Amino acid sequence: RRLYGTKKVGHAGTLDPDATGVLVVLVGRAAKAAEFAVCERKEYRAGLLLGITTDTQDTSGKILSSSDNIPPKEEVLEAVNSFSGEIMQIPPMYSALKVNGKKLYELAREGKEVERKARRITIHEIRILEISLPEVKLEVTCSKGTYIRTLCHDIGNLLGTGGCMEELTCII
């Protein structure tokens, strides 16, 4: 706002606080077009850390549980591939979604947890780029509204060892 001397600034999507990558920012009259700048498909590179669960579903959160029981690569590959296609995903408490006018992360920071409804999302493609257990590097092409932190968490849960997101880069 200060740089361009305008009050009107918008963005096309919200990135996790620890994420890197592309975030489209619209300035001035262009801010009105924010809804048209949001891509239906998003692409990310993510690091999944198996054996750890946190309250934020990423490594910046408080550790809730840890496990040394890391499954073999074959099981990890099978679990990751099972998330391809249309799936239901429950948004995390640490998200910018609003409930009764308040952002979920604000409620979470107050120690409150509210029920969130599962939403239909699409994982168009999910590929393992590298496995060096307990770390797994993923590339995910998905619909807007997909939480990669939650995807990592859900993969860890399916494997029975827990999991959280270690890093995230938004490509598109």
Side-chain angles (χ1 to χ4, degrees), residues 40-42 83-88 119-125 140-146:
E40 290 298 317
R41 282 182 178 234
K42 307 265 184 162
F83 283 87
S84 188
E86 279 194 2
I87 63 172
M88 298 301 285
R119 304 184 319 176
R120 185 175 311 281
I121 59 155
T122 303
I123 305 295
H124 299 288
E125 185 178 4
V140 180
T141 305
C142 57
S143 61
K144 67 179 183 177
T146 301

mmCIF file of all heavy atoms in Angstrom, residues 40-42 83-88 119-125 140-146:
data_model
loop_
_atom_site.group_PDB
_atom_site.id
_atom_site.type_symbol
_atom_site.label_atom_id
_atom_site.label_comp_id
_atom_site.label_asym_id
_atom_site.label_seq_id
_atom_site.Cartn_x
_atom_site.Cartn_y
_atom_site.Cartn_z
ATOM 1 N N GLU A 40 -7.858 -22.398 -10.608
ATOM 2 C CA GLU A 40 -8.612 -23.583 -10.198
ATOM 3 C C GLU A 40 -7.667 -24.713 -9.818
ATOM 4 O O GLU A 40 -7.999 -25.561 -9.013
ATOM 5 C CB GLU A 40 -9.554 -24.038 -11.312
ATOM 6 C CG GLU A 40 -10.718 -23.102 -11.543
ATOM 7 C CD GLU A 40 -11.637 -22.964 -10.337
ATOM 8 O OE1 GLU A 40 -11.946 -23.989 -9.699
ATOM 9 O OE2 GLU A 40 -12.021 -21.829 -10.018
ATOM 10 N N ARG A 41 -6.498 -24.744 -10.442
ATOM 11 C CA ARG A 41 -5.473 -25.751 -10.147
ATOM 12 C C ARG A 41 -4.281 -25.063 -9.505
ATOM 13 O O ARG A 41 -3.872 -23.993 -9.925
ATOM 14 C CB ARG A 41 -4.988 -26.436 -11.423
ATOM 15 C CG ARG A 41 -5.906 -27.478 -11.946
ATOM 16 C CD ARG A 41 -5.288 -28.105 -13.191
ATOM 17 N NE ARG A 41 -6.159 -29.141 -13.680
ATOM 18 C CZ ARG A 41 -5.786 -30.389 -13.907
ATOM 19 N NH1 ARG A 41 -4.531 -30.739 -13.716
ATOM 20 N NH2 ARG A 41 -6.629 -31.275 -14.337
ATOM 21 N N LYS A 42 -3.744 -25.716 -8.511
ATOM 22 C CA LYS A 42 -2.547 -25.219 -7.826
ATOM 23 C C LYS A 42 -1.499 -26.314 -7.881
ATOM 24 O O LYS A 42 -1.826 -27.499 -7.918
ATOM 25 C CB LYS A 42 -2.860 -24.902 -6.357
ATOM 26 C CG LYS A 42 -4.041 -23.982 -6.148
ATOM 27 C CD LYS A 42 -3.609 -22.573 -6.021
ATOM 28 C CE LYS A 42 -4.817 -21.693 -5.724
ATOM 29 N NZ LYS A 42 -4.462 -20.435 -5.189
ATOM 30 N N PHE A 83 -4.253 -41.083 -2.316
ATOM 31 C CA PHE A 83 -4.868 -39.762 -2.178
ATOM 32 C C PHE A 83 -5.129 -39.088 -3.518
ATOM 33 O O PHE A 83 -5.523 -37.927 -3.571
ATOM 34 C CB PHE A 83 -4.011 -38.863 -1.276
ATOM 35 C CG PHE A 83 -4.176 -39.187 0.178
ATOM 36 C CD1 PHE A 83 -3.400 -40.170 0.769
ATOM 37 C CD2 PHE A 83 -5.128 -38.547 0.944
ATOM 38 C CE1 PHE A 83 -3.561 -40.498 2.102
ATOM 39 C CE2 PHE A 83 -5.297 -38.862 2.284
ATOM 40 C CZ PHE A 83 -4.515 -39.850 2.865
ATOM 41 N N SER A 84 -4.949 -39.793 -4.607
ATOM 42 C CA SER A 84 -5.190 -39.249 -5.938
ATOM 43 C C SER A 84 -6.685 -39.251 -6.245
ATOM 44 O O SER A 84 -7.405 -40.171 -5.864
ATOM 45 C CB SER A 84 -4.434 -40.087 -6.974
ATOM 46 O OG SER A 84 -4.517 -39.473 -8.229
ATOM 47 N N GLY A 85 -7.166 -38.202 -6.906
ATOM 48 C CA GLY A 85 -8.575 -38.117 -7.287
ATOM 49 C C GLY A 85 -9.357 -37.219 -6.351
ATOM 50 O O GLY A 85 -8.796 -36.400 -5.623
ATOM 51 N N GLU A 86 -10.689 -37.385 -6.361
ATOM 52 C CA GLU A 86 -11.552 -36.599 -5.473
ATOM 53 C C GLU A 86 -11.532 -37.215 -4.083
ATOM 54 O O GLU A 86 -11.741 -38.414 -3.937
ATOM 55 C CB GLU A 86 -12.990 -36.574 -5.997
ATOM 56 C CG GLU A 86 -13.216 -35.571 -7.073
ATOM 57 C CD GLU A 86 -14.696 -35.322 -7.346
ATOM 58 O OE1 GLU A 86 -15.563 -35.910 -6.668
ATOM 59 O OE2 GLU A 86 -14.972 -34.535 -8.263
ATOM 60 N N ILE A 87 -11.282 -36.386 -3.101
ATOM 61 C CA ILE A 87 -11.267 -36.841 -1.709
ATOM 62 C C ILE A 87 -11.967 -35.802 -0.834
ATOM 63 O O ILE A 87 -12.165 -34.657 -1.257
ATOM 64 C CB ILE A 87 -9.831 -37.103 -1.179
ATOM 65 C CG1 ILE A 87 -8.999 -35.817 -1.177
ATOM 66 C CG2 ILE A 87 -9.136 -38.202 -1.971
ATOM 67 C CD1 ILE A 87 -7.642 -35.938 -0.490
ATOM 68 N N MET A 88 -12.318 -36.197 0.355
ATOM 69 C CA MET A 88 -12.884 -35.268 1.330
ATOM 70 C C MET A 88 -11.769 -34.873 2.299
ATOM 71 O O MET A 88 -11.006 -35.729 2.737
ATOM 72 C CB MET A 88 -14.040 -35.914 2.085
ATOM 73 C CG MET A 88 -15.210 -36.314 1.200
ATOM 74 S SD MET A 88 -15.952 -34.938 0.291
ATOM 75 C CE MET A 88 -16.853 -34.125 1.613
ATOM 76 N N ARG A 119 -14.604 -30.988 3.141
ATOM 77 C CA ARG A 119 -14.884 -30.399 1.830
ATOM 78 C C ARG A 119 -14.301 -31.294 0.752
ATOM 79 O O ARG A 119 -13.254 -31.919 0.928
ATOM 80 C CB ARG A 119 -14.255 -29.004 1.729
ATOM 81 C CG ARG A 119 -14.721 -28.105 2.833
ATOM 82 C CD ARG A 119 -14.237 -26.689 2.764
ATOM 83 N NE ARG A 119 -12.848 -26.524 2.374
ATOM 84 C CZ ARG A 119 -12.263 -25.352 2.180
ATOM 85 N NH1 ARG A 119 -12.938 -24.263 2.340
ATOM 86 N NH2 ARG A 119 -11.004 -25.268 1.819
ATOM 87 N N ARG A 120 -14.982 -31.321 -0.379
ATOM 88 C CA ARG A 120 -14.514 -32.117 -1.515
ATOM 89 C C ARG A 120 -13.403 -31.340 -2.229
ATOM 90 O O ARG A 120 -13.593 -30.183 -2.609
ATOM 91 C CB ARG A 120 -15.655 -32.404 -2.481
ATOM 92 C CG ARG A 120 -15.264 -33.339 -3.626
ATOM 93 C CD ARG A 120 -16.434 -33.702 -4.498
ATOM 94 N NE ARG A 120 -17.600 -34.156 -3.747
ATOM 95 C CZ ARG A 120 -17.744 -35.377 -3.229
ATOM 96 N NH1 ARG A 120 -16.803 -36.276 -3.367
ATOM 97 N NH2 ARG A 120 -18.842 -35.703 -2.573
ATOM 98 N N ILE A 121 -12.269 -31.988 -2.360
ATOM 99 C CA ILE A 121 -11.145 -31.411 -3.102
ATOM 100 C C ILE A 121 -10.688 -32.445 -4.125
ATOM 101 O O ILE A 121 -11.091 -33.610 -4.056
ATOM 102 C CB ILE A 121 -9.968 -31.027 -2.175
ATOM 103 C CG1 ILE A 121 -9.462 -32.260 -1.411
ATOM 104 C CG2 ILE A 121 -10.373 -29.909 -1.225
ATOM 105 C CD1 ILE A 121 -8.043 -32.150 -0.969
ATOM 106 N N THR A 122 -9.859 -32.021 -5.039
ATOM 107 C CA THR A 122 -9.333 -32.945 -6.048
ATOM 108 C C THR A 122 -7.820 -32.894 -6.051
ATOM 109 O O THR A 122 -7.229 -31.818 -6.147
ATOM 110 C CB THR A 122 -9.862 -32.595 -7.453
ATOM 111 O OG1 THR A 122 -11.299 -32.606 -7.424
ATOM 112 C CG2 THR A 122 -9.377 -33.597 -8.488
ATOM 113 N N ILE A 123 -7.220 -34.055 -5.927
ATOM 114 C CA ILE A 123 -5.774 -34.187 -6.120
ATOM 115 C C ILE A 123 -5.605 -34.692 -7.554
ATOM 116 O O ILE A 123 -5.834 -35.863 -7.844
ATOM 117 C CB ILE A 123 -5.148 -35.174 -5.108
ATOM 118 C CG1 ILE A 123 -5.475 -34.764 -3.656
ATOM 119 C CG2 ILE A 123 -3.644 -35.288 -5.340
ATOM 120 C CD1 ILE A 123 -4.897 -33.454 -3.202
ATOM 121 N N HIS A 124 -5.269 -33.788 -8.455
ATOM 122 C CA HIS A 124 -5.140 -34.143 -9.866
ATOM 123 C C HIS A 124 -3.950 -35.069 -10.088
ATOM 124 O O HIS A 124 -4.029 -36.021 -10.869
ATOM 125 C CB HIS A 124 -4.992 -32.888 -10.733
ATOM 126 C CG HIS A 124 -6.173 -31.975 -10.648
ATOM 127 N ND1 HIS A 124 -7.392 -32.271 -11.217
ATOM 128 C CD2 HIS A 124 -6.328 -30.771 -10.033
ATOM 129 C CE1 HIS A 124 -8.237 -31.284 -10.976
ATOM 130 N NE2 HIS A 124 -7.618 -30.364 -10.257
ATOM 131 N N GLU A 125 -2.865 -34.755 -9.386
ATOM 132 C CA GLU A 125 -1.657 -35.589 -9.495
ATOM 133 C C GLU A 125 -0.858 -35.450 -8.210
ATOM 134 O O GLU A 125 -0.722 -34.349 -7.672
ATOM 135 C CB GLU A 125 -0.815 -35.148 -10.685
ATOM 136 C CG GLU A 125 0.380 -36.031 -10.931
ATOM 137 C CD GLU A 125 1.205 -35.615 -12.152
ATOM 138 O OE1 GLU A 125 0.896 -34.590 -12.786
ATOM 139 O OE2 GLU A 125 2.176 -36.324 -12.442
ATOM 140 N N VAL A 140 2.502 -31.950 -5.826
ATOM 141 C CA VAL A 140 1.048 -32.111 -5.809
ATOM 142 C C VAL A 140 0.413 -31.068 -6.717
ATOM 143 O O VAL A 140 0.689 -29.877 -6.589
ATOM 144 C CB VAL A 140 0.495 -31.933 -4.371
ATOM 145 C CG1 VAL A 140 -1.017 -32.110 -4.353
ATOM 146 C CG2 VAL A 140 1.166 -32.880 -3.395
ATOM 147 N N THR A 141 -0.440 -31.542 -7.629
ATOM 148 C CA THR A 141 -1.296 -30.660 -8.414
ATOM 149 C C THR A 141 -2.707 -30.899 -7.907
ATOM 150 O O THR A 141 -3.172 -32.049 -7.892
ATOM 151 C CB THR A 141 -1.200 -30.970 -9.923
ATOM 152 O OG1 THR A 141 0.170 -30.896 -10.327
ATOM 153 C CG2 THR A 141 -2.020 -29.978 -10.737
ATOM 154 N N CYS A 142 -3.380 -29.845 -7.463
ATOM 155 C CA CYS A 142 -4.654 -30.017 -6.770
ATOM 156 C C CYS A 142 -5.601 -28.866 -7.059
ATOM 157 O O CYS A 142 -5.209 -27.857 -7.647
ATOM 158 C CB CYS A 142 -4.399 -30.118 -5.268
ATOM 159 S SG CYS A 142 -3.502 -28.700 -4.585
ATOM 160 N N SER A 143 -6.834 -29.023 -6.600
ATOM 161 C CA SER A 143 -7.823 -27.959 -6.728
ATOM 162 C C SER A 143 -7.560 -26.890 -5.672
ATOM 163 O O SER A 143 -6.914 -27.143 -4.653
ATOM 164 C CB SER A 143 -9.230 -28.536 -6.569
ATOM 165 O OG SER A 143 -9.383 -29.135 -5.289
ATOM 166 N N LYS A 144 -8.089 -25.693 -5.941
ATOM 167 C CA LYS A 144 -7.990 -24.641 -4.923
ATOM 168 C C LYS A 144 -8.743 -25.114 -3.691
ATOM 169 O O LYS A 144 -9.648 -25.934 -3.777
ATOM 170 C CB LYS A 144 -8.528 -23.315 -5.438
ATOM 171 C CG LYS A 144 -10.006 -23.284 -5.699
ATOM 172 C CD LYS A 144 -10.435 -21.913 -6.175
ATOM 173 C CE LYS A 144 -11.947 -21.879 -6.366
ATOM 174 N NZ LYS A 144 -12.419 -20.573 -6.762
ATOM 175 N N GLY A 145 -8.327 -24.619 -2.536
ATOM 176 C CA GLY A 145 -8.966 -25.027 -1.295
ATOM 177 C C GLY A 145 -8.338 -26.247 -0.658
ATOM 178 O O GLY A 145 -8.768 -26.684 0.404
ATOM 179 N N THR A 146 -7.307 -26.811 -1.288
ATOM 180 C CA THR A 146 -6.609 -27.973 -0.733
ATOM 181 C C THR A 146 -5.576 -27.491 0.277
ATOM 182 O O THR A 146 -4.827 -26.551 0.015
ATOM 183 C CB THR A 146 -5.903 -28.774 -1.849
ATOM 184 O OG1 THR A 146 -6.875 -29.200 -2.796
ATOM 185 C CG2 THR A 146 -5.159 -29.975 -1.299
#
